[in-house]
């Protein structure tokens, strides 16, 4: 077929068809597959190790009836690291049990691609219902589908929680067009789907209610019932949150942290009292607290907020201009700022506060100008999107509570929906206004450049998931000040017997994070594997002293020393270290290897850390 005729037929499909979900899903799936599909030869990368290989529920090492008693990593409540997401575990287990080929990361992550395409189709449908403009709606769906910052969520297998959580919110928004008696149950079911996929879907409670308030007259011109529809959407979303929370509290109990277990002092302002009461009821399982992954953990509240706002500003810039994308942003690439009013903090604060106020103003304008016989005012889009972006991000901001991770691109998945609505509106206007400053077709060219840049960055970032070595090499280059990136890149090099290169990367991790026990131990472990146990000892000693209760690090250190004859010459020094840290794993494992090393061949086998790319230990 003539290329010109083919392109005309493709363009006519978008020009002549409304971007409803059914019409938009197929092109969205093609685009998502082109941009985000990773290599079929890819192996398990980063969190996929724990979430899949070491997950006893996914691997059917525990019965199916335990689905509500296991966390995202398949761990019971007394060993959990905080994420309670039964639906992703269900999907993974079904794949694992269906066929061995479906156990591969490439097959598992294609679920994310399909759901992401469905989400993009939903975004296009919602944009069309708000604007009645095919052009703007198709651009909104395309902008969301091709958004490069979403690569982590779509290309990484564990991103299934983010894409399913967003699907629940989008289905709830789509249900706002239904009659009132149908809308409530569908919102409830949709938000329930999202919450059992990812707990941060709780943002649906304000977002869906706000969208119902804004769109009531548009979707139901004869009987808008704004307040009633908003109230029903709010109650239905809240009921879904209550179902999720009470299910987790019953089947996955957790002890409250000390700051929540104790009552607030008399006279505490009511907003703080209400938030404290909500956190007590929500009873979020304890999250990992590692300053390497989240340097804001060690900051006081004002500096934590300042750092969080700076991170938010960076995230918004990545949504629009993803110059740098990375799988990791840990210490010291992100740190708590020294000043409370740095440029990024100020920008982040303005981006968090001003857009919602502007969104409310846009809603007031829309309410005054909406008329049945005229196209919907574009202020409806601003009213939803400007509130949506900061509200959707807020639970991930490290402002209300600290998270295990200071920054992750997957945190922007739901905020990107609001940004896609704004982007679609802007791109639609661009291609309509063809000339700028006398340059013919400048508008379409600018729109093409924007989408082309997003798609190029998305495809390049997806290539970082070719395998674990490519992933950590790209991460170490993208964020050269991340100690974790250099350490893990070194591990991947070591797994391929490039020990000299591993040594370089591990040394860099120590230089960046001299107080990080893992950096010292892994650097020493590389030296030990190079048969340089005497050189390794000072770093082993530093690492074990800094982390006396890290069982895996202690066991790794002692086992390599044992294998290279390094225990007996340091027997007295090791025992002195043990005596200086009573009640720790250092004390126990040192005394055990001194007494029972010959019998066990070093560290007792059940205490040895799991090897890289292995499943759960027996």
């Amino acid at each position: 077929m003539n290329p010109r005729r083919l392109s005309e037929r493709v363009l006519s499909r978008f020009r002549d068809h409304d971007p409803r979900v059914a019409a938009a899903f197929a092109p969205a799936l093609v685009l998502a597959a082109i941009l985000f599909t990773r290599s079929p030869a890819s192996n398990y990368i980063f969190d996929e190790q724990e979430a899949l290989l070491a997950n006893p529920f996914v691997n059917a090492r525990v019965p199916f009836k335990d689905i509500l008693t296991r966390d995202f990593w398949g761990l019971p409540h007394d060993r959990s690291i905080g994420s309670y997401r039964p639906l992703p575990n269900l999907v993974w287990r079904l794949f694992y049990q269906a066929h061995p080929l479906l156990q591969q990361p490439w097959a598992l992550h294609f679920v994310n691609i399909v759901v992401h395409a469905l989400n993009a189709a939903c975004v296009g449908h919602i944009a069309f219902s708000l604007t009645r403009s095919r052009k703007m709606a198709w651009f909104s769906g395309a902008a969301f589908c091709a958004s490069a910052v979403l690569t982590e969520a779509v290309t990484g297998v564990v991103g299934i929680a983010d894409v399913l959580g967003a699907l629940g919110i989008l289905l709830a928004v789509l249900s706002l067009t239904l009659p009132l008696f149908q809308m409530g149950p569908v919102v409830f079911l949709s938000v329930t789907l999202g919450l059992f996929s990812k707990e941060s879907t709780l943002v649906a409670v304000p977002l869906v209610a706000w969208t119902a308030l804004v769109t009531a007259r548009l979707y139901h011109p004869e009987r808008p019932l704004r307040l009633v529809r908003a109230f029903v959407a709010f109650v239905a979303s809240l009921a879904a949150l209550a179902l999720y929370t009470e299910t987790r509290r019953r089947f996955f109990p957790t002890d409250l942290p000390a700051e929540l277990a104790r009552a607030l002092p008399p006279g505490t302002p009511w907003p703080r009292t209400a938030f404290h009461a909500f956190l007590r009821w929500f009873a979020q399982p304890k999250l990992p607290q590692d300053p390497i992954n989240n340097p804001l953990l060690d900051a006081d509240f004002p500096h934590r907020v300042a750092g969080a706002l700076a991170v938010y500003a960076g995230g918004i810039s990545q949504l629009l201009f993803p110059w740098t994308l990375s799988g990791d942003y840990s210490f010291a690439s992100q740190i708590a700022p020294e000043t409370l009013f740095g440029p990024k903090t100020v920008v982040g604060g303005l981006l968090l506060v001003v857009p919602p106020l502007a969104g409310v103003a846009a809603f007031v304008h829309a309410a005054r100008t909406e008329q049945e016989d005229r196209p919907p005012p574009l202020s409806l889009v601003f009213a939803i999107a400007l509130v949506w972006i900061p509200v959707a991000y807020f639970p991930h901001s490290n402002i209300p509570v600290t998270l295990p991770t200071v920054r992750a691109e997957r945190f922007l998945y739901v905020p990107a929906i609001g940004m896609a609505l704004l982007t679609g509106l802007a791109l639609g206007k661009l291609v309509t206004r063809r000339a700028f400053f006398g340059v013919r077709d400048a508008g379409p060219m600018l729109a093409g450049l924007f989408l082309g840049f997003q798609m190029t960055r998305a495809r390049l970032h997806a290539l970082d998931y070719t395998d674990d070595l490519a992933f950590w090499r790209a991460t170490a280059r993208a964020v050269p000040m991340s100690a974790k990136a250099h350490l893990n890149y070194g591990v991947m090099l070591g797994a391929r017997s490039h020990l000299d290169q591993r040594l370089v990367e591990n040394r860099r991790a120590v230089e960046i994070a001299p107080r990080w026990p893992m950096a010292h131990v892994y650097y020493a472990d590389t030296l030990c594997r190079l048969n340089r146990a005497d050189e390794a000892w000072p770093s082993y000693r530093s690492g074990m002293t800094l982390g006396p209760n890290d069982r895996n690090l202690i066991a790794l250190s002692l086992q390599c020393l044992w294998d290279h004859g390094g225990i007996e010459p340091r027997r007295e020094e090791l025992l002195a270290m043990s005596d200086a840290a009573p009640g720790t794993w250092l004390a126990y494992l040192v005394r055990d290897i001194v007494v029972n090393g010959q019998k066990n061949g070093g560290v007792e086998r059940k205490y040895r850390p799991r090897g890289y790319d292995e499943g759960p230990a027996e």
Side-chain angles (χ1 to χ4, degrees), residues 169 187 191 195 200-211 230 233-242 278 391:
I169 299 175
V187 167
V191 176
L195 283 166
S200 61
T201 303
L202 60 85
V203 299
V205 176
L207 289 179
V208 177
W210 173 252
T211 305
F234 178 79
V235 170
S237 302
L238 198 61
L241 178 60
F278 170 78
V391 171

Side-chain angles (χ1 to χ4, degrees), residues 149 152 292-297 299 302-321 324-326 328-337 339-340 342-352 389-390 393-399 401 403-412 415 479:
V149 79
E152 180 185 19
I292 289 293
N293 287 324
N294 188 351
L296 299 182
L297 288 168
H303 286 85
R304 186 179 101 201
V305 171
L309 292 174
V311 169
Y312 178 56
I316 295 299
S317 70
Q318 282 184 308
L319 279 170
L320 292 171
F321 304 107
T324 301
L325 296 170
S326 170
D328 174 76
Y329 292 93
S330 57
F331 183 87
S333 63
Q334 299 285 331
I335 58 174
T339 175
L340 296 179
K344 289 185 179 180
T345 298
V346 172
V347 171
L350 291 173
L351 289 172
L352 196 66
I389 296 169
Y393 181 81
F394 193 68
H396 290 126
S397 67
N398 279 291
I399 294 175
V401 294
L403 302 178
T405 305
V406 65
R407 177 178 181 176
E409 290 159 9
R410 64 184 180 277
F411 292 171
L412 295 166
V479 283

